[in-house]
Structures are given as C-alpha cells and as structure tokens.
Amino acid sequence: MNRATYRRARTRVVASSTGVVLTALLAGCGGSGGTVAAGASGAATDAEGTASAACGQVPTIAPKDPDGAVKALPADLQKAYNAYGEEVFASAWQNKKALGRAAKVGFSYLPASNAFAGAVIKQVETSFAAAKADGLVQGKLVKRIMTDPATMTPAEQIRGYNELVDSGVDIIYITPLSGDAMVSAVDAAGKKGVVTVALGSTIRSKYAVNVAENAYLNIAAPTALVAGQLNGKGNVVIVRGFQGLSTETIGYQAVKDVLAACPDLKVLGQVNGAFVPPVAKAELLKFLASHPQQIDMVAQLGVMGSGVYAAFDSTGRDTPKVVDAGASASSLASWKKLETADGYETAGTGGNGTQEAKAWFTVGMMVMAGDGPKVGTITREPSVITKANLADYLPAGAKVSDLGEVEDGEAWMPQSYLDQFFDNPSQS
C-alpha cells in the first residue's frame, strides 16, 4: 500500500472501525491504547507469564481491576471481563443521587459514514424522543457530530465536547476517537457533575461509564472455534486492522494467544487491512500472488470479512475458514453461499449499531436516575456466530454486495443484564 493509499485508509478506519463488535466494536474506534494484561493473579499462564490454554480454547487472563470493582460483581458477569484490555475502575457515580428533573442531553459522535454509525445516530435520536415522552429528558438533543472522516481529530472532538459541557448539559453520550485524549476533559466535566457515557472505546476516567464489547474475547472466541474445527492443523494468514488502535492491539494479541496453543497451525504471514474491506482485499490479493500454499484459516481482526471472501473469490482459490469477527451482511452472505455449496463452516461474532445504541442510552438514563453503577466499564461476552445460529444473524435476502449490518441474533445488553451492574436498578 503506498503512502497516499494508507493515509486514506487511516481516515476511513476512524469511522468504519466503530462497528467492530465490534467492537468491534469493533469495536471501537481509536481506543485508549491499553494492552492485554497477562500473568495477573488468577490468570492461566505459562512459566513465562504469557496466556496459555489448550488448542481450540479461549485463554483465561485476569482483568486489570485496581479497585476490585470486577471482583465484586456476580461470578457470571466476571466472565465477560476475561482478558479485558483496559483498566476497569469503580464508578464515581455509584452514590450519585437522582437528578430530580428532566436531564439535558449532549451527543458527541462520528460522521454517519457507514451503516453502523448511521444506525447509532438514528437509535440515539429515537431513544431520546422516547425518554422525552416519559419526562426523563428535556429540550433538544444537543449534538456535536463531526462531519468529515478525512479531517476529524481528537482535538476537534474535545472542543465539541467542551462546548457541550459549557452549554449546561447533564450527560454526554460519546464515542471517542481517542479514549486517552478524552481523560482530562472528562475528569474536568465530571467534577462539575456532568456524566459521560462512552460507547465502544474505553475512557480511563472514574467519571466515565463505558459500554463496550470485550475486544479480546470478540476475536479470541471465534478464532478458538475455528482452530478447533481444523483440529489444530493448517496454514494461517492474519489480516490486521489499523495498527495503533487499542482494539487492534488487543485483537492481535488474542489471535497470537489462541494460535500459540496450536503448534501445528502455522502462520504464513500477515497483511494490513486497516479495518477497511476493500483495503483488506487488495492487500490479501498481493499476498496470495506470492504464496501458492494452501491456506486453511484467515484470522481477520474485525469488519474485514467481506474483503477476505472477495479476495479468494476473485482468485478462484479454495476459500479458507474466515474468522468473521464483526460480521456484516456481505460476509454472512458469502459464508451462507459456501455452506450451501459444500458444507462450509467457520465462526464469527455479531452485533449492530441499533442494539448497542439502545443499551448505551439506557445506561446513561440509569445513571441519571441514581441507580448507582457498580463499575465504570460495562461489557459482555461476545455474540458468537456458528453454523447453528447463522440464520439468526443473516439478513433475509442478503447478497455478497450488501453493505448493511447483521440482524440482532440475540439481545446485546437487555435490561435484565444491565440491571446487574447497578445497585438500585428498580429506580430506572
């Protein structure tokens, strides 16, 4: 990829990687740069302190839990924090009293330049309207949505965030370009009583309530399943996302940890797909041209599954098992086409912007109601897609050219799940 192409890919990924459930999400976009904790107390590790597990299984790695907030959660919820890549703090809002009036709401988001982002914006507006009808919020949704993915920067977003704070809002919903860059601004706003609720990326501030996929599990879970399907043998190619994003770093570590337990899965090489399917296709085609060996697995780090399938389809080579993390309508349509033809089987992860935005908005309203969040980051185990439930995620009539999201499949974070993260959920 030449420098100009790489720059264009970088600007596109800021918007597109938000859909990594995918995280992606995805997920998330431009997270806070944390790395996976290995060797912490309670982790399954080898003698050198790195993650270990049997081939075909997800490693167990204790989360970074400096306040003991995760440890205080029910055991079933703690599973969702396995290998979580950022520190998980106790929430500054645990003892916050109900606002006692309708809240003023701010919304800081990315351009609606892909299906996920468009779905998030639409759902936040829908949720706001419903909350207003219930008397929970007032006035208009105060928006600071960046318009150009080619020029947007964390500094631009922080300016808009501070404008929201100065406008007198009580709560701000945000997907940060950089979680680290937002910390000081969120701390300052929190000291003024302004609640910040982040979707996708983690803001490492006790004043932020983060709602996010577990980026490690989102990649490790389907990769481990595919490794098991191959009985731990074969050739692997890794398609990386835009390097420098915390979700990419964490996902890459997840692949390495899973493959480390399978010595007969050989990595032939890796390409940089930048979380952009056409870029992933182009770079993979270059790799295939110089690597005639059979490829049994392609481990891609989110939302690029459609590009991987397209690359193999255009060469006429047998399609390997594609780890379809952050699946799309297009990638699932390719998967279904191959399954129908020859019984093709793989694994992936699902979720969509509408589901995530509903949970995100609900969490913020629960905080404003004085429900008392027990922990500053709310996460979940990924929705894993297999042959058994593929039909639940595949949109009706989907084609390989479709650009849309997957169906709901399962509830992303239903009310009954969210309630477990709050001290007084009956108030909401």
Side-chain angles (χ1 to χ4, degrees):
M1 188 189 309
N2 63 38
R3 184 169 305 204
T5 301
Y6 191 73
R7 280 199 303 267
R8 290 194 295 270
R10 183 188 188 281
T11 57
R12 287 196 298 267
V13 71
V14 173
S16 65
S17 66
T18 311
V20 177
V21 225
L22 347 339
T23 60
L25 76 176
L26 218 242
C29 168
S32 54
T35 55
V36 175
S41 177
T45 60
D46 62 19
E48 297 181 352
T50 55
S52 62
C55 184
Q57 295 183 358
V58 176
T60 300
I61 307 171
K64 300 175 183 178
D65 187 23
D67 300 328
V70 174
K71 190 175 181 180
L73 293 172
D76 284 349
L77 295 185
Q78 292 183 39
K79 296 176 183 177
Y81 293 87
N82 177 25
Y84 195 83
E86 321 277 353
E87 294 95 338
V88 180
F89 301 112
S91 177
W93 308 113
Q94 187 165 9
N95 297 315
K96 176 180 170 59
K97 295 181 179 179
L99 186 61
R101 60 171 171 78
K104 297 179 181 179
V105 181
F107 181 33
S108 172
Y109 200 62
L110 315 175
S113 55
N114 58 73
F116 180 91
V120 167
I121 293 171
K122 181 178 179 181
Q123 183 57 49
V124 168
E125 292 171 341
T126 298
S127 294
F128 179 85
K132 188 173 183 179
D134 291 338
L136 300 177
V137 302
Q138 61 173 291
K140 294 183 178 180
L141 181 64
V142 187
K143 303 176 185 177
R144 292 295 185 274
I145 298 177
M146 291 178 285
T147 59
D148 188 352
T151 61
M152 63 184 180
T153 64
E156 176 192 358
Q157 186 174 45
I158 291 170
R159 285 194 297 271
Y161 175 90
N162 287 332
E163 289 173 2
L164 290 173
V165 173
D166 293 341
S167 74
V169 300
D170 303 297
I171 180 172
I172 298 174
Y173 291 92
I174 186 170
T175 287
L177 287 173
S178 169
D180 274 349
M182 289 299 307
V183 171
S184 294
V186 171
D187 283 346
K191 292 173 183 177
K192 296 178 181 179
V194 179
V195 174
T196 299
V197 188
L199 177 67
S201 293
T202 298
I203 301 174
R204 292 186 287 185
S205 166
K206 64 181 180 179
Y207 294 106
V209 180
N210 304 294
V211 181
E213 286 277 13
N214 184 322
Y216 186 96
L217 295 184
N218 200 52
I219 303 299
T223 303
L225 281 174
V226 172
Q229 292 168 7
L230 291 170
N231 295 315
K233 299 178 180 180
N235 292 327
V236 182
V237 175
I238 301 172
V239 180
R240 299 194 62 173
F242 182 73
Q243 294 172 45
L245 297 177
S246 69
T247 48
E248 202 280 343
T249 301
I250 293 165
Y252 183 52
Q253 185 65 50
V255 170
K256 291 194 295 181
D257 289 348
V258 170
L259 296 182
C262 306
D264 292 326
L265 281 173
K266 308 296 185 182
V267 178
L268 294 180
Q270 61 184 38
V271 300
N272 294 323
F275 288 131
V276 181
V279 174
K281 176 184 176 181
E283 295 304 303
L284 189 53
L285 284 172
K286 295 176 187 176
F287 181 89
L288 294 176
S290 59
H291 291 79
Q293 304 97 317
Q294 176 178 316
I295 297 173
D296 302 284
M297 177 202 297
V298 175
Q300 62 86 26
L301 302 188
V303 307
M304 299 175 288
S306 60
V308 175
Y309 281 117
F312 280 90
D313 185 61
S314 66
T315 63
R317 291 176 59 165
D318 290 341
T319 303
K321 293 180 180 291
V322 178
V323 177
D324 201 11
S328 65
S330 172
S331 63
L332 293 190
S334 294
W335 177 349
K336 182 62 178 179
K337 181 179 178 181
L338 291 166
E339 179 191 78
T340 301
D342 60 11
Y344 179 86
E345 184 177 9
T346 188
T349 52
N352 60 54
T354 299
Q355 289 178 303
E356 296 191 21
K358 284 181 180 178
W360 184 31
F361 198 89
T362 297
V363 166
M365 291 296 98
M366 294 178 75
V367 175
M368 300 309 293
D371 286 8
K374 300 175 182 178
V375 64
T377 297
I378 297 173
T379 191
R380 67 191 293 274
E381 295 183 82
S383 297
V384 178
I385 306 174
T386 67
K387 183 177 182 178
N389 64 359
L390 175 59
D392 296 335
Y393 292 88
L394 179 65
K399 300 178 181 179
V400 297
S401 58
D402 287 350
L403 300 177
E405 296 187 290
V406 300
E407 293 295 318
D408 289 358
E410 68 175 1
W412 194 71
M413 286 188 187
Q415 187 69 59
S416 58
Y417 183 78
L418 293 176
D419 284 350
Q420 299 176 78
F421 293 90
F422 289 82
D423 288 327
N424 306 297
S426 60
Q427 295 183 23
S428 61

